[in-house]
Amino acid sequence: MKKNKSALQIARATYKPKMPQTLQGPVKVVEGEKTQSVADQEAIKERFPNTYGMPLVRFEAAETKKDYAPINVGVILSGGQAPGGHNVIAGIFDGIKDLNPASRLFGFILGPAGLIEHNYMELTADIIDEYRNTGGFDIIGSGRTKLETKEQFDQGLIILKALDIKALVIIGGDDSNTNACVLAEYYASIKAGVQVIGCPKTIDGDLKNVMIETSFGFDTACKVYSEVIGNIQRDCNSARKYWHFIKLMGRSASHIALECALQVQPNYCIVSEEVESLNMSLDDLVTDIAKAVAKRAEQGNNFGTVLIPEGVIEFIPAMKKLIAELNDFLASHKEEFDLIRRSEQRNYIIKMLSKENADIYASLPEGVARQLTLDRDPHGNVQVSLIETEKLLAEMVAVKLAEWQKEGKYVGKFATQTHFFGYEGRCAAPSNYDADYCYSLGYTAAGLIGFGMTGYMSSVRNTTAPASEWIAGGVPITMMMNMERRHGEMKPVIQKALVDLEGAPFKTFAAKRAAWAIHTSYVYPGPIQYFGPTEVCDQPTRTLLLEQKGMAAF
Ligand code: FBP
């Protein structure tokens, strides 16, 4: 066995990602309808005069291969890791080599900062081969530097020109692709001669729309979390003594929690979007969970599982207001706050907040109150992954049950375990779905480059069908945009896809959850399988199946 490599890694390196039939030979581009942004058309058009209104494009098989000149391409991994990133890069590499074997690929190191700081490496065949079908972004690293100012774009152009790079692929989430679009527009406006193409990445699953079925990494991450939740469910059904409160990553949308719920059938799953739409308070949420615990206790079942999306705190309307005031306050008083003695910080914040928010802040357990004042991310947001919502809810449910016990309304035992699953899934070896999807996204990006496109996102659709039937093409990024207030200013941004409460995934969950709450209906998905029968190895997520085939698919 090779040093530093597991047997699975060695076997997996030889996996050949499945691809759409159309990409397996010469292709031509077929133009579809001209596009419009999803909202605020006039405002978006005004800001993107060179890249607005372009048509959808689709690749179709051609009789003969066009002649392509060799091209140098740059690639950036932006934001949080997501399984499959290395296959996107492998797909780009193979794609541009197929255009012309003299083409070259350069990776910018540690995210957008690599472009600005001129930190790069050439990605040659031997390097690419080491990373095929592996998880992680370690081939070139990733970072969260925002690429948004003209100075940064000009600085980037210096190195792009020096390396004779004519196209740049940015692999990122909604914010990074918004920035890719702004960069594409800017380079087009100054006739820089550099195309910019985006690729949809994020385990959170919230970069999707009519033309982008899913962001890569969502499939693998959810399968990893579901495996572990399944194991916990089997443990809790064996010992029958704990309630497990499990927080799952997903900064804002609840797609991950919902997908895991559909896979494992827990006793309770919070969907943040529903919490907001019902205008629930923290106490409402705690009461609802406590009721589920009490009902199971009536049948002698003092165990269960509760899934918690990490972003829930910001969807509780009262907490959202509190966090907004805290964000504004800390943005202007951070230095003063840091000088206050740790033991006094809580009282200091209570004094500084409006009465309504101060009352809520004062009612929070010490730990969570502190976590709400921790450093913000580069976008000025609370880092929700640092807030221990799972502990907060477990503690508050315990208090509620103790009150009910005194009043004679609850008889049972309530012992808890808390967990947070996030980083465990972000760099897992990509499932077959992600390995195939990512390779096709990368190969498609190379095709878009070959046909001279800019301001497009690589799109691979129809992915619940066998890979040979997938549809590859490009979507103008401006099509996904609307105007939103960011830091007090209206900005064009890609619309984030939250859980649709009218959609089949949520409706299916809503139809089943009452039964899952009372009965022990756990499903144990087991680990991702990379080799074996297709019904075991090539299943897309429940979310995608339900979205494409309706509730009957469950
Ligand atoms: P992206 O949106 O950049 O893909 O990252 C998503 C995510 O994994 C969230 O689920 C999580 O809240 C956040 O990143 C954690 O960020 P960090 O890696 O900076 O701790």
Side-chain angles (χ1 to χ4, degrees):
M1 187 180 298
K2 275 197 194 164
K3 228 170 135 194
N4 298 333
K5 283 207 176 148
S6 68
L8 178 65
Q9 252 177 293
I10 294 165
R12 191 65 178 159
T14 60
Y15 177 76
K16 293 266 169 282
K18 299 185 275 302
M19 277 173 89
Q21 189 62 43
T22 42
L23 295 185
Q24 294 181 25
V27 290
K28 61 181 183 210
V29 155
V30 178
E31 283 193 7
E33 286 167 34
K34 294 247 185 231
T35 59
Q36 294 227 337
S37 59
V38 282
D40 309 310
Q41 288 83 11
E42 282 314 308
I44 307 284
K45 189 174 177 182
E46 198 184 304
R47 284 166 175 83
F48 296 91
N50 294 284
T51 51
Y52 187 84
M54 299 185 299
L56 295 168
V57 296
R58 206 178 64 230
F59 291 122
E60 280 185 10
E63 303 266 294
T64 48
K65 191 179 163 205
K66 173 172 146 13
D67 273 340
Y68 299 91
I71 185 166
N72 289 357
V73 172
V75 61
I76 296 176
L77 289 163
S78 181
Q81 287 69 253
H86 289 158
N87 269 24
V88 179
I89 294 180
I92 300 170
F93 181 84
D94 293 349
I96 62 171
K97 289 284 184 192
D98 282 350
L99 296 179
N100 187 309
S103 299
R104 294 165 72 190
L105 183 63
F106 294 87
F108 289 96
I109 311 291
L110 288 175
L115 179 69
I116 304 162
E117 293 161 10
H118 300 181
N119 192 6
Y120 66 90
M121 66 190 274
E122 178 162 4
L123 296 169
T124 50
D126 49 339
I127 300 175
I128 296 284
D129 288 348
E130 277 294 298
Y131 288 90
R132 287 181 194 271
N133 310 311
T134 59
F137 279 3
D138 43 319
I139 186 169
I140 47 174
S142 184
R144 290 199 182 275
T145 303
K146 276 181 76 107
L147 199 55
E148 57 181 353
T149 66
K150 179 178 171 311
E151 291 68 35
Q152 292 174 327
F153 298 167
D154 290 337
Q155 191 62 21
L157 192 55
I158 295 173
I159 189 66
L160 295 173
K161 288 283 169 206
L163 296 172
D164 194 25
I165 289 177
K166 299 235 164 49
L168 183 63
V169 183
I170 299 185
I171 302 172
D174 51 343
D175 281 335
S176 307
N177 275 286
T178 294
N179 297 341
C181 191
V182 176
L183 186 65
E185 175 64 32
Y186 177 68
Y187 285 165
S189 73
I190 61 166
K191 303 201 173 14
V194 180
Q195 303 159 240
V196 183
I197 300 293
C199 266
K201 169 235 71 164
T202 176
I203 60 159
D204 293 3
D206 55 10
L207 171 47
K208 62 176 173 183
N209 50 55
V210 278
M211 298 305 294
I212 302 293
E213 293 186 347
T214 186
S215 54
F216 77 76
F218 175 70
D219 184 274
T220 309
C222 288
K223 285 174 178 160
V224 172
Y225 304 142
S226 297
E227 177 205 347
V228 190
I229 301 165
N231 295 349
I232 287 176
Q233 294 194 147
R234 204 142 218 173
D235 191 285
C236 97
N237 196 13
S238 306
R240 307 199 176 178
K241 61 177 182 183
Y242 291 124
W243 270 86
H244 292 264
F245 283 67
I246 305 167
K247 183 175 78 168
L248 293 159
M249 254 192 188
R251 190 203 317 272
S252 186
S254 307
H255 297 295
I256 294 180
L258 180 57
E259 169 64 23
C260 292
L262 292 166
Q263 287 197 30
V264 305
Q265 305 188 176
N267 300 107
Y268 197 97
C269 174
I270 299 171
V271 174
S272 308
E273 291 82 347
E274 184 183 30
V275 169
E276 185 170 48
S277 84
L278 297 176
N279 199 14
M280 287 172 93
S281 65
L282 189 53
D283 186 60
D284 293 337
L285 194 53
V286 168
T287 307
D288 208 43
I289 301 171
K291 276 187 190 159
V293 173
K295 267 214 174 135
R296 282 180 66 78
E298 278 168 20
Q299 300 164 341
N301 290 327
N302 291 302
F303 65 94
T305 45
V306 179
L307 305 191
I308 306 160
E310 75 171 347
V312 66
I313 204 94
E314 290 195 288
F315 282 78
I316 298 171
M319 293 296 291
K320 192 174 181 171
K321 278 193 212 147
L322 165 64
I323 290 171
E325 191 177 348
L326 275 172
N327 284 348
D328 287 350
F329 178 75
L330 290 171
S332 51
H333 294 79
K334 185 76 177 90
E335 282 177 20
E336 188 181 316
F337 174 76
D338 287 341
L339 293 175
I340 310 256
R341 287 234 308 273
R342 209 178 136 96
S343 58
E344 280 308 307
Q345 284 178 339
R346 183 180 168 103
N347 286 337
Y348 165 81
I349 291 280
I350 291 171
K351 265 191 261 150
M352 294 308 201
L353 293 176
S354 62
K355 165 91 178 74
E356 189 191 2
N357 286 334
D359 288 348
I360 296 174
Y361 188 78
S363 73
L364 296 173
E366 180 71 36
V368 173
R370 171 161 307 287
Q371 285 150 18
L372 284 177
T373 60
L374 292 176
D375 286 346
R376 274 36 190 165
D377 73 6
H379 305 269
N381 299 318
V382 171
Q383 301 192 54
V384 281
S385 58
L386 301 181
I387 300 175
E388 294 175 318
T389 339
E390 67 284 20
K391 291 196 179 141
L392 171 75
L393 289 171
E395 270 177 46
M396 293 180 82
V397 170
V399 171
K400 179 79 57 189
L401 290 170
E403 280 167 20
W404 290 355
Q405 200 142 35
K406 272 194 213 143
E407 295 164 15
K409 289 203 267 182
Y410 160 72
V411 186
K413 284 188 195 138
F414 184 65
T416 58
Q417 295 288 343
T418 56
H419 316 263
F420 169 36
F421 299 138
Y423 299 98
E424 299 76 350
R426 293 204 313 188
C427 283
S431 60
N432 284 356
Y433 178 90
D434 270 329
D436 300 346
Y437 181 54
C438 288
Y439 186 80
S440 291
L441 282 173
Y443 203 91
T444 301
L448 294 169
I449 291 169
F451 282 93
M453 317 265 160
T454 191
Y456 276 80
M457 189 182 287
S458 173
S459 155
V460 174
R461 295 183 296 124
N462 198 30
T463 63
T464 54
S468 57
E469 294 165 31
W470 291 1
I471 301 164
V475 190
I477 304 179
T478 49
M479 181 187 176
M480 305 168 199
M481 289 192 157
N482 67 167
M483 299 296 290
E484 287 177 23
R485 184 166 293 282
R486 297 276 166 100
H487 303 296
E489 246 184 274
M490 290 307 281
K491 293 241 161 147
V493 294
I494 294 178
Q495 207 172 47
K496 210 182 247 312
L498 299 177
V499 168
D500 176 7
L501 300 180
E502 294 304 318
F506 179 78
K507 282 194 156 172
T508 304
F509 162 71
K512 308 271 178 190
R513 65 180 154 186
W516 295 349
I518 301 189
H519 308 297
T520 303
S521 322
Y522 303 152
V523 172
Y524 313 114
I528 295 175
Q529 300 295 306
Y530 299 96
F531 305 99
T534 190
E535 68 275 16
V536 180
C537 302
D538 297 312
Q539 280 297 323
T541 57
R542 300 275 189 282
T543 304
L544 203 50
L545 271 177
L546 287 162
E547 280 171 351
Q548 296 198 351
K549 307 209 185 300
M551 287 171 72
F554 193 77

